[in-house]
Amino acid sequence: EAMAGRLPIVGARCGGTAELIRHGESGLLFNPDSHTDLLQCIKRIIEDSAYGDTLARQAYDDLKNGFQPEKIAAETMAFFSQAMAKFKGT
């Protein structure tokens, strides 16, 4: 949602979030066990709004170019087709 809203992103370095955000390019990632790390990320965006704007623009571009429903559906179908081919071959 933040990507679509063209907002700077701060996310935990775990799960799917870490797969979507490129630290320092399309957002900032923090260690989920460190509140200090989280605060540093937030502080950086607050203190350098131009940097936050740059992160937000890149995240939006990533969303536009990489997360189109048609592309995701095609990649998902290709994955399952390969998995079924391997399953049938065993």
Side-chain angles (χ1 to χ4, degrees):
E1 293 169 349
M3 292 170 101
R6 299 179 188 190
L7 299 170
I9 301 168
V10 174
R13 186 177 275 119
C14 64
T17 303
E19 295 175 11
L20 296 174
I21 299 171
R22 290 176 290 118
H23 181 73
E25 294 179 35
S26 61
L28 296 176
L29 295 170
F30 66 92
N31 179 341
D33 297 325
S34 172
H35 66 277
T36 303
D37 199 16
L38 169 60
L39 291 173
Q40 287 174 342
C41 289
I42 294 170
K43 184 178 176 184
R44 182 159 186 205
I45 288 175
I46 290 171
E47 290 179 346
D48 189 350
S49 62
Y51 180 62
D53 291 343
T54 298
L55 295 175
R57 272 193 305 279
Q58 185 59 56
Y60 182 75
D61 287 346
D62 289 355
L63 174 68
K64 242 181 13 180
N65 298 321
F67 303 115
Q68 300 165 341
E70 298 83 8
K71 182 178 179 181
I72 293 170
E75 290 173 355
T76 301
M77 292 301 296
F79 171 81
F80 282 114
S81 294
Q82 290 174 357
M84 289 302 295
K86 288 181 182 180
F87 178 74
K88 289 179 182 179
T90 58

